[in-house]
Amino acid sequence: MIKEGTITDNEGQPLHMANVVVRNADMEVVDGTTTNSDGDYSIEIPDTLDGTAEVSFIGFAPVIVDVMDLGSHQMSVSEQVLGEAVIEGELDSPEPPVERKRLSPRVIAILALVALLVGIVIYKRFKNAGK
């Protein structure tokens, strides 16, 4: 069977690229898709599937429903605030062990945008910096 629906925010605006994941009773992923620019999606589900569907989008509380109740859903902004994550590492020499390559301006812009969206701050430090 094919299930279709529209995913919107709490103001009725469509959520572009919201995730729709279908899991079986053992919580294994059976299929998944994302919404288009109008918040619409379509997903094929086996007729005999007994499981759940989860609709998720960054910054919104996930919606988890029985797979047979999958359709149009309105998502609410999540009140959960994520804490700071710090990832540290050391570089023993000023020269990295891998070949350096320049990133294109387009790749740098995309990485910066992604970092901004999820709140990542990147610092570059060397082991002997400031000594």
Side-chain angles (χ1 to χ4, degrees), residues 81-88 118-123 125:
V81 176
L82 300 177
E84 178 182 22
V86 177
I87 301 171
E88 292 187 17
V118 296
I120 296 174
V121 178
I122 300 172
Y123 296 99
R125 289 188 283 182

Side-chain angles (χ1 to χ4, degrees), residues 17-58:
M17 298 299 291
N19 296 303
V20 180
V21 176
V22 175
R23 299 178 189 272
N24 63 19
D26 295 326
M27 297 305 292
E28 297 168 332
V29 174
V30 174
D31 203 355
T33 190
T34 57
T35 58
N36 64 17
S37 59
D38 296 322
D40 298 327
Y41 72 92
S42 175
I43 190 167
E44 188 170 352
I45 302 171
D47 293 334
T48 59
L49 182 66
D50 178 30
T52 59
E54 179 177 356
V55 181
S56 60
F57 191 78
I58 293 175

Side-chain angles (χ1 to χ4, degrees), residues 79-96:
E79 297 298 322
Q80 180 181 6
V81 176
L82 300 177
E84 178 182 22
V86 177
I87 301 171
E88 292 187 17
E90 292 183 4
L91 184 62
D92 290 331
S93 70
E95 292 299 320

